[in-house]
Amino acid sequence: MSEFFNHVSRRKFLLVTGASAGTVLLKGCLGNPPENLTGGSAQSQPSAQQVSANLNAEEKPETSKVKLGYVPIVEAAPFIIAKEKGFFAKYGMTSVDLSKQSSWGSMRDNTELGSAGGGVDGGQYQMPMPHLITEGLITKGNQKIPMYLLAQLITHGNGIAIASKHVGQGIELDLAKSGKTLFEKNKASKTPFTAAYTFARVNQDFWIRYWLAAGGINPDTDVKLIAVPSAQTVANMKTGTMDGFSTGDPWPYRIVKEKIGFLAMLTAQMWKNHPEEYFAMRSEWVNKNPKATKALLKGIMAAQQWLDNFDNRKEAAQILSGRNYFNLSADILMAPFQGKYDMGDGRSIDDKSMAAYYWKDERGSVSYPYKSHDLWFITESVRWGFLPKEYLTKAKEIIDKVNREDIWREAAKEAGIAASDIPTSTSRGVETFFDGIKFDPEKPEEYLKNLKIKKVNV
Ligand code: CA
């Protein structure tokens, strides 16, 4: 089956994702940082002696060195905070090299290389990138690079931005109620409504597709969706050649603040407490360094708990916005970190439950990687024809191979995390979307059947 996909769909995949591959650096407000820039201040980390004195022998990592890739959006905060606040060092990971990636294409390529080849050992991923890399579906020459999914980094923090010229046409969360006219008008014209995401067939592609389809707009035939780097998308929105952008903070807020566009909706409105980006690593590194893997997880868990204390969010915004990391003004991060969104067209949201959460949300653990969420991403891939239908039956086998929630549990126990913060099931149960559609992880086919707009026949 994977052979089938390799031959038939790999080419298509490359055509779609090619635009985002490793060539364009983030510019403008996010600065123009050199790639693989290492952030961090030395004084925030305890000395190696202090660390080894505090660690018990059984937990002492095999290595203190690792290279993790990240993309400068709020999803990356747990890595940056774990390094800057000394949480990695506390568990013996005193040499964590955080490598800023210019695009998701370069994150994929650097994962393929591994740190020995000048790339990275793991880091931040959209979904289901770790599964696709493991299966050799997005790597060069279809090489299978086994990966382990170890923790979820964040929920919320993403949204759909629309160019200013479309203000006042009712483009909001529920397009079935209003705003549909614009898309129908555009469909009939020679220039279809064109929207971008940063990498095809992962989160941001899924969010805009779900939103459009729920409003009765077919994302494959009624609009044009393309992969374009963030900075270029924003420039194109300014000049009027791009209509929309499915992206994560700080981009949506920046677009509003600079009056380039407005926010149609937040992903938090579409699917409250939805799965977002993840921490994953090359299995080879994890198998060689099981204690160091748990040390990284413990550092990330500590950072996630620290980030969810809203009293720390001002400091978090200051650290993340620093020149070594996002290189922007801290106030751009502050408002969304408090759940405050000026939508840019007169609407606004002031609701803490809509803010980004890193450790816990209304549904329980954010950090724990629920297998039922991997299944949603694979099901959604089947919905849009990104993966052949047989992946629905193959999903369990792939998820069991990639998702290492067992390592998360072990690390949590060793770190003394309260039992109430450790989920008892690998499934979060039934998920409900804003339009009333439900995803029952026990019945993914039923979810697909209930969706009106889809590419797969079920
Ligand atoms: Ca995202």
Side-chain angles (χ1 to χ4, degrees), residues 182-206:
L182 173 76
F183 293 94
E184 276 158 2
K185 212 166 59 195
N186 269 267
K187 193 188 164 187
S189 79
K190 274 183 188 156
T191 48
F193 187 93
T194 306
Y197 38 71
T198 49
F199 196 77
R201 306 177 173 207
V202 295
N203 299 37
Q204 288 161 7
D205 192 357
F206 292 134

mmCIF file with all atom_site columns, all heavy atoms in Angstrom, residues 182-206:
data_model
loop_
_atom_site.group_PDB
_atom_site.id
_atom_site.type_symbol
_atom_site.label_atom_id
_atom_site.label_alt_id
_atom_site.label_comp_id
_atom_site.label_asym_id
_atom_site.label_entity_id
_atom_site.label_seq_id
_atom_site.pdbx_PDB_ins_code
_atom_site.Cartn_x
_atom_site.Cartn_y
_atom_site.Cartn_z
_atom_site.occupancy
_atom_site.B_iso_or_equiv
_atom_site.pdbx_formal_charge
_atom_site.auth_seq_id
_atom_site.auth_comp_id
_atom_site.auth_asym_id
_atom_site.auth_atom_id
_atom_site.pdbx_PDB_model_num
ATOM 1   N N   . LEU A 1 182 ? -19.205 35.945 -1.475  1.00 0.00 ? 182 LEU A N   1
ATOM 2   C CA  . LEU A 1 182 ? -17.895 36.348 -1.980  1.00 0.00 ? 182 LEU A CA  1
ATOM 3   C C   . LEU A 1 182 ? -17.212 35.187 -2.701  1.00 0.00 ? 182 LEU A C   1
ATOM 4   O O   . LEU A 1 182 ? -16.685 35.348 -3.797  1.00 0.00 ? 182 LEU A O   1
ATOM 5   C CB  . LEU A 1 182 ? -17.017 36.835 -0.834  1.00 0.00 ? 182 LEU A CB  1
ATOM 6   C CG  . LEU A 1 182 ? -15.561 37.110 -1.234  1.00 0.00 ? 182 LEU A CG  1
ATOM 7   C CD1 . LEU A 1 182 ? -15.442 38.412 -1.999  1.00 0.00 ? 182 LEU A CD1 1
ATOM 8   C CD2 . LEU A 1 182 ? -14.655 37.119 -0.027  1.00 0.00 ? 182 LEU A CD2 1
ATOM 9   N N   . PHE A 1 183 ? -17.262 34.005 -2.072  1.00 0.00 ? 183 PHE A N   1
ATOM 10  C CA  . PHE A 1 183 ? -16.592 32.845 -2.666  1.00 0.00 ? 183 PHE A CA  1
ATOM 11  C C   . PHE A 1 183 ? -17.279 32.424 -3.963  1.00 0.00 ? 183 PHE A C   1
ATOM 12  O O   . PHE A 1 183 ? -16.643 32.040 -4.930  1.00 0.00 ? 183 PHE A O   1
ATOM 13  C CB  . PHE A 1 183 ? -16.566 31.679 -1.669  1.00 0.00 ? 183 PHE A CB  1
ATOM 14  C CG  . PHE A 1 183 ? -15.697 31.963 -0.471  1.00 0.00 ? 183 PHE A CG  1
ATOM 15  C CD1 . PHE A 1 183 ? -16.245 32.489 0.700   1.00 0.00 ? 183 PHE A CD1 1
ATOM 16  C CD2 . PHE A 1 183 ? -14.335 31.741 -0.517  1.00 0.00 ? 183 PHE A CD2 1
ATOM 17  C CE1 . PHE A 1 183 ? -15.449 32.763 1.802   1.00 0.00 ? 183 PHE A CE1 1
ATOM 18  C CE2 . PHE A 1 183 ? -13.530 32.014 0.575   1.00 0.00 ? 183 PHE A CE2 1
ATOM 19  C CZ  . PHE A 1 183 ? -14.091 32.527 1.737   1.00 0.00 ? 183 PHE A CZ  1
ATOM 20  N N   . GLU A 1 184 ? -18.607 32.520 -3.982  1.00 0.00 ? 184 GLU A N   1
ATOM 21  C CA  . GLU A 1 184 ? -19.339 32.143 -5.189  1.00 0.00 ? 184 GLU A CA  1
ATOM 22  C C   . GLU A 1 184 ? -19.053 33.109 -6.328  1.00 0.00 ? 184 GLU A C   1
ATOM 23  O O   . GLU A 1 184 ? -18.880 32.709 -7.470  1.00 0.00 ? 184 GLU A O   1
ATOM 24  C CB  . GLU A 1 184 ? -20.831 32.059 -4.881  1.00 0.00 ? 184 GLU A CB  1
ATOM 25  C CG  . GLU A 1 184 ? -21.167 30.691 -4.298  1.00 0.00 ? 184 GLU A CG  1
ATOM 26  C CD  . GLU A 1 184 ? -22.447 30.659 -3.483  1.00 0.00 ? 184 GLU A CD  1
ATOM 27  O OE1 . GLU A 1 184 ? -23.138 31.697 -3.373  1.00 0.00 ? 184 GLU A OE1 1
ATOM 28  O OE2 . GLU A 1 184 ? -22.740 29.578 -2.931  1.00 0.00 ? 184 GLU A OE2 1
ATOM 29  N N   . LYS A 1 185 ? -18.957 34.390 -5.969  1.00 0.00 ? 185 LYS A N   1
ATOM 30  C CA  . LYS A 1 185 ? -18.651 35.431 -6.958  1.00 0.00 ? 185 LYS A CA  1
ATOM 31  C C   . LYS A 1 185 ? -17.252 35.168 -7.541  1.00 0.00 ? 185 LYS A C   1
ATOM 32  O O   . LYS A 1 185 ? -17.045 35.209 -8.743  1.00 0.00 ? 185 LYS A O   1
ATOM 33  C CB  . LYS A 1 185 ? -18.676 36.788 -6.230  1.00 0.00 ? 185 LYS A CB  1
ATOM 34  C CG  . LYS A 1 185 ? -19.135 37.949 -7.082  1.00 0.00 ? 185 LYS A CG  1
ATOM 35  C CD  . LYS A 1 185 ? -19.455 39.174 -6.208  1.00 0.00 ? 185 LYS A CD  1
ATOM 36  C CE  . LYS A 1 185 ? -18.265 39.644 -5.399  1.00 0.00 ? 185 LYS A CE  1
ATOM 37  N NZ  . LYS A 1 185 ? -18.618 40.563 -4.304  1.00 0.00 ? 185 LYS A NZ  1
ATOM 38  N N   . ASN A 1 186 ? -16.322 34.878 -6.639  1.00 0.00 ? 186 ASN A N   1
ATOM 39  C CA  . ASN A 1 186 ? -14.943 34.633 -7.055  1.00 0.00 ? 186 ASN A CA  1
ATOM 40  C C   . ASN A 1 186 ? -14.809 33.386 -7.896  1.00 0.00 ? 186 ASN A C   1
ATOM 41  O O   . ASN A 1 186 ? -13.995 33.324 -8.801  1.00 0.00 ? 186 ASN A O   1
ATOM 42  C CB  . ASN A 1 186 ? -14.030 34.514 -5.831  1.00 0.00 ? 186 ASN A CB  1
ATOM 43  C CG  . ASN A 1 186 ? -13.452 35.850 -5.438  1.00 0.00 ? 186 ASN A CG  1
ATOM 44  O OD1 . ASN A 1 186 ? -12.374 36.200 -5.861  1.00 0.00 ? 186 ASN A OD1 1
ATOM 45  N ND2 . ASN A 1 186 ? -14.189 36.605 -4.660  1.00 0.00 ? 186 ASN A ND2 1
ATOM 46  N N   . LYS A 1 187 ? -15.610 32.384 -7.572  1.00 0.00 ? 187 LYS A N   1
ATOM 47  C CA  . LYS A 1 187 ? -15.559 31.113 -8.292  1.00 0.00 ? 187 LYS A CA  1
ATOM 48  C C   . LYS A 1 187 ? -15.918 31.327 -9.760  1.00 0.00 ? 187 LYS A C   1
ATOM 49  O O   . LYS A 1 187 ? -15.308 30.749 -10.656 1.00 0.00 ? 187 LYS A O   1
ATOM 50  C CB  . LYS A 1 187 ? -16.547 30.130 -7.643  1.00 0.00 ? 187 LYS A CB  1
ATOM 51  C CG  . LYS A 1 187 ? -16.361 28.701 -8.082  1.00 0.00 ? 187 LYS A CG  1
ATOM 52  C CD  . LYS A 1 187 ? -17.493 27.850 -7.537  1.00 0.00 ? 187 LYS A CD  1
ATOM 53  C CE  . LYS A 1 187 ? -17.552 26.527 -8.265  1.00 0.00 ? 187 LYS A CE  1
ATOM 54  N NZ  . LYS A 1 187 ? -18.732 25.756 -7.872  1.00 0.00 ? 187 LYS A NZ  1
ATOM 55  N N   . ALA A 1 188 ? -16.898 32.188 -9.974  1.00 0.00 ? 188 ALA A N   1
ATOM 56  C CA  . ALA A 1 188 ? -17.367 32.461 -11.330 1.00 0.00 ? 188 ALA A CA  1
ATOM 57  C C   . ALA A 1 188 ? -16.371 33.325 -12.108 1.00 0.00 ? 188 ALA A C   1
ATOM 58  O O   . ALA A 1 188 ? -16.360 33.323 -13.333 1.00 0.00 ? 188 ALA A O   1
ATOM 59  C CB  . ALA A 1 188 ? -18.728 33.150 -11.266 1.00 0.00 ? 188 ALA A CB  1
ATOM 60  N N   . SER A 1 189 ? -15.535 34.076 -11.408 1.00 0.00 ? 189 SER A N   1
ATOM 61  C CA  . SER A 1 189 ? -14.586 34.968 -12.082 1.00 0.00 ? 189 SER A CA  1
ATOM 62  C C   . SER A 1 189 ? -13.309 34.210 -12.459 1.00 0.00 ? 189 SER A C   1
ATOM 63  O O   . SER A 1 189 ? -13.129 33.054 -12.127 1.00 0.00 ? 189 SER A O   1
ATOM 64  C CB  . SER A 1 189 ? -14.249 36.144 -11.177 1.00 0.00 ? 189 SER A CB  1
ATOM 65  O OG  . SER A 1 189 ? -13.301 35.735 -10.215 1.00 0.00 ? 189 SER A OG  1
ATOM 66  N N   . LYS A 1 190 ? -12.429 34.918 -13.155 1.00 0.00 ? 190 LYS A N   1
ATOM 67  C CA  . LYS A 1 190 ? -11.186 34.272 -13.600 1.00 0.00 ? 190 LYS A CA  1
ATOM 68  C C   . LYS A 1 190 ? -10.154 34.168 -12.482 1.00 0.00 ? 190 LYS A C   1
ATOM 69  O O   . LYS A 1 190 ? -9.199  33.400 -12.577 1.00 0.00 ? 190 LYS A O   1
ATOM 70  C CB  . LYS A 1 190 ? -10.595 35.055 -14.772 1.00 0.00 ? 190 LYS A CB  1
ATOM 71  C CG  . LYS A 1 190 ? -11.189 34.619 -16.104 1.00 0.00 ? 190 LYS A CG  1
ATOM 72  C CD  . LYS A 1 190 ? -10.525 35.359 -17.256 1.00 0.00 ? 190 LYS A CD  1
ATOM 73  C CE  . LYS A 1 190 ? -11.262 35.075 -18.563 1.00 0.00 ? 190 LYS A CE  1
ATOM 74  N NZ  . LYS A 1 190 ? -11.057 36.138 -19.541 1.00 0.00 ? 190 LYS A NZ  1
ATOM 75  N N   . THR A 1 191 ? -10.333 34.994 -11.463 1.00 0.00 ? 191 THR A N   1
ATOM 76  C CA  . THR A 1 191 ? -9.372  34.953 -10.361 1.00 0.00 ? 191 THR A CA  1
ATOM 77  C C   . THR A 1 191 ? -10.030 34.364 -9.125  1.00 0.00 ? 191 THR A C   1
ATOM 78  O O   . THR A 1 191 ? -10.759 35.049 -8.412  1.00 0.00 ? 191 THR A O   1
ATOM 79  C CB  . THR A 1 191 ? -8.852  36.374 -10.019 1.00 0.00 ? 191 THR A CB  1
ATOM 80  O OG1 . THR A 1 191 ? -9.985  37.236 -9.928  1.00 0.00 ? 191 THR A OG1 1
ATOM 81  C CG2 . THR A 1 191 ? -7.886  36.869 -11.068 1.00 0.00 ? 191 THR A CG2 1
ATOM 82  N N   . PRO A 1 192 ? -9.834  33.083 -8.892  1.00 0.00 ? 192 PRO A N   1
ATOM 83  C CA  . PRO A 1 192 ? -10.462 32.469 -7.718  1.00 0.00 ? 192 PRO A CA  1
ATOM 84  C C   . PRO A 1 192 ? -9.891  33.024 -6.422  1.00 0.00 ? 192 PRO A C   1
ATOM 85  O O   . PRO A 1 192 ? -8.787  33.570 -6.406  1.00 0.00 ? 192 PRO A O   1
ATOM 86  C CB  . PRO A 1 192 ? -10.110 30.987 -7.880  1.00 0.00 ? 192 PRO A CB  1
ATOM 87  C CG  . PRO A 1 192 ? -8.868  30.969 -8.699  1.00 0.00 ? 192 PRO A CG  1
ATOM 88  C CD  . PRO A 1 192 ? -8.943  32.170 -9.598  1.00 0.00 ? 192 PRO A CD  1
ATOM 89  N N   . PHE A 1 193 ? -10.672 32.896 -5.360  1.00 0.00 ? 193 PHE A N   1
ATOM 90  C CA  . PHE A 1 193 ? -10.218 33.271 -4.022  1.00 0.00 ? 193 PHE A CA  1
ATOM 91  C C   . PHE A 1 193 ? -8.976  32.423 -3.731  1.00 0.00 ? 193 PHE A C   1
ATOM 92  O O   . PHE A 1 193 ? -9.018  31.197 -3.757  1.00 0.00 ? 193 PHE A O   1
ATOM 93  C CB  . PHE A 1 193 ? -11.328 32.972 -3.020  1.00 0.00 ? 193 PHE A CB  1
ATOM 94  C CG  . PHE A 1 193 ? -11.050 33.454 -1.626  1.00 0.00 ? 193 PHE A CG  1
ATOM 95  C CD1 . PHE A 1 193 ? -11.485 34.698 -1.196  1.00 0.00 ? 193 PHE A CD1 1
ATOM 96  C CD2 . PHE A 1 193 ? -10.340 32.646 -0.738  1.00 0.00 ? 193 PHE A CD2 1
ATOM 97  C CE1 . PHE A 1 193 ? -11.237 35.125 0.087   1.00 0.00 ? 193 PHE A CE1 1
ATOM 98  C CE2 . PHE A 1 193 ? -10.083 33.078 0.551   1.00 0.00 ? 193 PHE A CE2 1
ATOM 99  C CZ  . PHE A 1 193 ? -10.537 34.323 0.965   1.00 0.00 ? 193 PHE A CZ  1
ATOM 100 N N   . THR A 1 194 ? -7.843  33.092 -3.476  1.00 0.00 ? 194 THR A N   1
ATOM 101 C CA  . THR A 1 194 ? -6.579  32.376 -3.293  1.00 0.00 ? 194 THR A CA  1
ATOM 102 C C   . THR A 1 194 ? -6.082  32.521 -1.869  1.00 0.00 ? 194 THR A C   1
ATOM 103 O O   . THR A 1 194 ? -5.954  33.632 -1.362  1.00 0.00 ? 194 THR A O   1
ATOM 104 C CB  . THR A 1 194 ? -5.514  32.913 -4.280  1.00 0.00 ? 194 THR A CB  1
ATOM 105 O OG1 . THR A 1 194 ? -6.047  32.853 -5.599  1.00 0.00 ? 194 THR A OG1 1
ATOM 106 C CG2 . THR A 1 194 ? -4.233  32.091 -4.210  1.00 0.00 ? 194 THR A CG2 1
ATOM 107 N N   . ALA A 1 195 ? -5.848  31.405 -1.224  1.00 0.00 ? 195 ALA A N   1
ATOM 108 C CA  . ALA A 1 195 ? -5.369  31.446 0.157   1.00 0.00 ? 195 ALA A CA  1
ATOM 109 C C   . ALA A 1 195 ? -4.144  30.546 0.306   1.00 0.00 ? 195 ALA A C   1
ATOM 110 O O   . ALA A 1 195 ? -3.965  29.584 -0.444  1.00 0.00 ? 195 ALA A O   1
ATOM 111 C CB  . ALA A 1 195 ? -6.466  31.007 1.119   1.00 0.00 ? 195 ALA A CB  1
ATOM 112 N N   . ALA A 1 196 ? -3.306  30.891 1.284   1.00 0.00 ? 196 ALA A N   1
ATOM 113 C CA  . ALA A 1 196 ? -2.047  30.169 1.471   1.00 0.00 ? 196 ALA A CA  1
ATOM 114 C C   . ALA A 1 196 ? -1.961  29.505 2.834   1.00 0.00 ? 196 ALA A C   1
ATOM 115 O O   . ALA A 1 196 ? -2.629  29.907 3.783   1.00 0.00 ? 196 ALA A O   1
ATOM 116 C CB  . ALA A 1 196 ? -0.886  31.139 1.306   1.00 0.00 ? 196 ALA A CB  1
ATOM 117 N N   . TYR A 1 197 ? -1.126  28.496 2.879   1.00 0.00 ? 197 TYR A N   1
ATOM 118 C CA  . TYR A 1 197 ? -0.667  27.914 4.140   1.00 0.00 ? 197 TYR A CA  1
ATOM 119 C C   . TYR A 1 197 ? 0.831   27.721 3.950   1.00 0.00 ? 197 TYR A C   1
ATOM 120 O O   . TYR A 1 197 ? 1.341   27.899 2.837   1.00 0.00 ? 197 TYR A O   1
ATOM 121 C CB  . TYR A 1 197 ? -1.382  26.594 4.441   1.00 0.00 ? 197 TYR A CB  1
ATOM 122 C CG  . TYR A 1 197 ? -1.631  25.742 3.226   1.00 0.00 ? 197 TYR A CG  1
ATOM 123 C CD1 . TYR A 1 197 ? -0.564  25.113 2.583   1.00 0.00 ? 197 TYR A CD1 1
ATOM 124 C CD2 . TYR A 1 197 ? -2.909  25.595 2.698   1.00 0.00 ? 197 TYR A CD2 1
ATOM 125 C CE1 . TYR A 1 197 ? -0.772  24.357 1.446   1.00 0.00 ? 197 TYR A CE1 1
ATOM 126 C CE2 . TYR A 1 197 ? -3.118  24.835 1.550   1.00 0.00 ? 197 TYR A CE2 1
ATOM 127 C CZ  . TYR A 1 197 ? -2.047  24.225 0.937   1.00 0.00 ? 197 TYR A CZ  1
ATOM 128 O OH  . TYR A 1 197 ? -2.249  23.484 -0.200  1.00 0.00 ? 197 TYR A OH  1
ATOM 129 N N   . THR A 1 198 ? 1.530   27.328 5.009   1.00 0.00 ? 198 THR A N   1
ATOM 130 C CA  . THR A 1 198 ? 2.989   27.277 4.880   1.00 0.00 ? 198 THR A CA  1
ATOM 131 C C   . THR A 1 198 ? 3.519   25.915 4.432   1.00 0.00 ? 198 THR A C   1
ATOM 132 O O   . THR A 1 198 ? 4.668   25.814 4.016   1.00 0.00 ? 198 THR A O   1
ATOM 133 C CB  . THR A 1 198 ? 3.654   27.651 6.217   1.00 0.00 ? 198 THR A CB  1
ATOM 134 O OG1 . THR A 1 198 ? 3.032   26.897 7.251   1.00 0.00 ? 198 THR A OG1 1
ATOM 135 C CG2 . THR A 1 198 ? 3.506   29.127 6.508   1.00 0.00 ? 198 THR A CG2 1
ATOM 136 N N   . PHE A 1 199 ? 2.709   24.869 4.520   1.00 0.00 ? 199 PHE A N   1
ATOM 137 C CA  . PHE A 1 199 ? 3.137   23.533 4.091   1.00 0.00 ? 199 PHE A CA  1
ATOM 138 C C   . PHE A 1 199 ? 1.880   22.732 3.802   1.00 0.00 ? 199 PHE A C   1
ATOM 139 O O   . PHE A 1 199 ? 0.934   22.773 4.588   1.00 0.00 ? 199 PHE A O   1
ATOM 140 C CB  . PHE A 1 199 ? 3.959   22.881 5.220   1.00 0.00 ? 199 PHE A CB  1
ATOM 141 C CG  . PHE A 1 199 ? 4.780   21.686 4.792   1.00 0.00 ? 199 PHE A CG  1
ATOM 142 C CD1 . PHE A 1 199 ? 5.968   21.859 4.086   1.00 0.00 ? 199 PHE A CD1 1
ATOM 143 C CD2 . PHE A 1 199 ? 4.388   20.392 5.120   1.00 0.00 ? 199 PHE A CD2 1
ATOM 144 C CE1 . PHE A 1 199 ? 6.740   20.757 3.708   1.00 0.00 ? 199 PHE A CE1 1
ATOM 145 C CE2 . PHE A 1 199 ? 5.155   19.291 4.747   1.00 0.00 ? 199 PHE A CE2 1
ATOM 146 C CZ  . PHE A 1 199 ? 6.343   19.474 4.039   1.00 0.00 ? 199 PHE A CZ  1
ATOM 147 N N   . ALA A 1 200 ? 1.877   22.033 2.689   1.00 0.00 ? 200 ALA A N   1
ATOM 148 C CA  . ALA A 1 200 ? 0.657   21.324 2.284   1.00 0.00 ? 200 ALA A CA  1
ATOM 149 C C   . ALA A 1 200 ? 0.414   20.066 3.105   1.00 0.00 ? 200 ALA A C   1
ATOM 150 O O   . ALA A 1 200 ? 1.340   19.418 3.567   1.00 0.00 ? 200 ALA A O   1
ATOM 151 C CB  . ALA A 1 200 ? 0.750   20.955 0.810   1.00 0.00 ? 200 ALA A CB  1
ATOM 152 N N   . ARG A 1 201 ? -0.841  19.721 3.252   1.00 0.00 ? 201 ARG A N   1
ATOM 153 C CA  . ARG A 1 201 ? -1.284  18.449 3.823   1.00 0.00 ? 201 ARG A CA  1
ATOM 154 C C   . ARG A 1 201 ? -0.959  18.267 5.302   1.00 0.00 ? 201 ARG A C   1
ATOM 155 O O   . ARG A 1 201 ? -0.799  17.142 5.776   1.00 0.00 ? 201 ARG A O   1
ATOM 156 C CB  . ARG A 1 201 ? -0.717  17.279 2.993   1.00 0.00 ? 201 ARG A CB  1
ATOM 157 C CG  . ARG A 1 201 ? -1.090  17.450 1.536   1.00 0.00 ? 201 ARG A CG  1
ATOM 158 C CD  . ARG A 1 201 ? -0.527  16.400 0.633   1.00 0.00 ? 201 ARG A CD  1
ATOM 159 N NE  . ARG A 1 201 ? -1.095  16.591 -0.706  1.00 0.00 ? 201 ARG A NE  1
ATOM 160 C CZ  . ARG A 1 201 ? -1.245  15.622 -1.600  1.00 0.00 ? 201 ARG A CZ  1
ATOM 161 N NH1 . ARG A 1 201 ? -0.910  14.404 -1.311  1.00 0.00 ? 201 ARG A NH1 1
ATOM 162 N NH2 . ARG A 1 201 ? -1.756  15.889 -2.769  1.00 0.00 ? 201 ARG A NH2 1
ATOM 163 N N   . VAL A 1 202 ? -0.826  19.391 5.995   1.00 0.00 ? 202 VAL A N   1
ATOM 164 C CA  . VAL A 1 202 ? -0.658  19.368 7.457   1.00 0.00 ? 202 VAL A CA  1
ATOM 165 C C   . VAL A 1 202 ? -1.592  20.410 8.072   1.00 0.00 ? 202 VAL A C   1
ATOM 166 O O   . VAL A 1 202 ? -2.386  21.028 7.358   1.00 0.00 ? 202 VAL A O   1
ATOM 167 C CB  . VAL A 1 202 ? 0.826   19.619 7.868   1.00 0.00 ? 202 VAL A CB  1
ATOM 168 C CG1 . VAL A 1 202 ? 1.716   18.465 7.383   1.00 0.00 ? 202 VAL A CG1 1
ATOM 169 C CG2 . VAL A 1 202 ? 1.337   20.954 7.350   1.00 0.00 ? 202 VAL A CG2 1
ATOM 170 N N   . ASN A 1 203 ? -1.495  20.607 9.387   1.00 0.00 ? 203 ASN A N   1
ATOM 171 C CA  . ASN A 1 203 ? -2.458  21.420 10.152  1.00 0.00 ? 203 ASN A CA  1
ATOM 172 C C   . ASN A 1 203 ? -3.110  22.591 9.423   1.00 0.00 ? 203 ASN A C   1
ATOM 173 O O   . ASN A 1 203 ? -4.323  22.658 9.320   1.00 0.00 ? 203 ASN A O   1
ATOM 174 C CB  . ASN A 1 203 ? -1.799  21.996 11.406  1.00 0.00 ? 203 ASN A CB  1
ATOM 175 C CG  . ASN A 1 203 ? -1.295  20.923 12.339  1.00 0.00 ? 203 ASN A CG  1
ATOM 176 O OD1 . ASN A 1 203 ? -0.795  19.896 11.878  1.00 0.00 ? 203 ASN A OD1 1
ATOM 177 N ND2 . ASN A 1 203 ? -1.402  21.134 13.635  1.00 0.00 ? 203 ASN A ND2 1
ATOM 178 N N   . GLN A 1 204 ? -2.281  23.546 8.971   1.00 0.00 ? 204 GLN A N   1
ATOM 179 C CA  . GLN A 1 204 ? -2.870  24.782 8.456   1.00 0.00 ? 204 GLN A CA  1
ATOM 180 C C   . GLN A 1 204 ? -3.686  24.552 7.195   1.00 0.00 ? 204 GLN A C   1
ATOM 181 O O   . GLN A 1 204 ? -4.658  25.256 6.934   1.00 0.00 ? 204 GLN A O   1
ATOM 182 C CB  . GLN A 1 204 ? -1.778  25.827 8.244   1.00 0.00 ? 204 GLN A CB  1
ATOM 183 C CG  . GLN A 1 204 ? -1.278  26.342 9.590   1.00 0.00 ? 204 GLN A CG  1
ATOM 184 C CD  . GLN A 1 204 ? 0.075   27.022 9.492   1.00 0.00 ? 204 GLN A CD  1
ATOM 185 O OE1 . GLN A 1 204 ? 0.608   27.234 8.416   1.00 0.00 ? 204 GLN A OE1 1
ATOM 186 N NE2 . GLN A 1 204 ? 0.621   27.365 10.640  1.00 0.00 ? 204 GLN A NE2 1
ATOM 187 N N   . ASP A 1 205 ? -3.305  23.550 6.420   1.00 0.00 ? 205 ASP A N   1
ATOM 188 C CA  . ASP A 1 205 ? -4.073  23.136 5.254   1.00 0.00 ? 205 ASP A CA  1
ATOM 189 C C   . ASP A 1 205 ? -5.409  22.538 5.734   1.00 0.00 ? 205 ASP A C   1
ATOM 190 O O   . ASP A 1 205 ? -6.482  22.869 5.233   1.00 0.00 ? 205 ASP A O   1
ATOM 191 C CB  . ASP A 1 205 ? -3.238  22.108 4.476   1.00 0.00 ? 205 ASP A CB  1
ATOM 192 C CG  . ASP A 1 205 ? -3.784  21.797 3.081   1.00 0.00 ? 205 ASP A CG  1
ATOM 193 O OD1 . ASP A 1 205 ? -4.838  22.334 2.724   1.00 0.00 ? 205 ASP A OD1 1
ATOM 194 O OD2 . ASP A 1 205 ? -3.144  21.022 2.353   1.00 0.00 ? 205 ASP A OD2 1
ATOM 195 N N   . PHE A 1 206 ? -5.332  21.695 6.766   1.00 0.00 ? 206 PHE A N   1
ATOM 196 C CA  . PHE A 1 206 ? -6.560  21.076 7.298   1.00 0.00 ? 206 PHE A CA  1
ATOM 197 C C   . PHE A 1 206 ? -7.501  22.114 7.895   1.00 0.00 ? 206 PHE A C   1
ATOM 198 O O   . PHE A 1 206 ? -8.726  22.016 7.732   1.00 0.00 ? 206 PHE A O   1
ATOM 199 C CB  . PHE A 1 206 ? -6.226  20.041 8.378   1.00 0.00 ? 206 PHE A CB  1
ATOM 200 C CG  . PHE A 1 206 ? -5.519  18.821 7.848   1.00 0.00 ? 206 PHE A CG  1
ATOM 201 C CD1 . PHE A 1 206 ? -4.400  18.317 8.487   1.00 0.00 ? 206 PHE A CD1 1
ATOM 202 C CD2 . PHE A 1 206 ? -5.986  18.181 6.713   1.00 0.00 ? 206 PHE A CD2 1
ATOM 203 C CE1 . PHE A 1 206 ? -3.746  17.188 8.006   1.00 0.00 ? 206 PHE A CE1 1
ATOM 204 C CE2 . PHE A 1 206 ? -5.347  17.047 6.220   1.00 0.00 ? 206 PHE A CE2 1
ATOM 205 C CZ  . PHE A 1 206 ? -4.216  16.554 6.868   1.00 0.00 ? 206 PHE A CZ  1
#
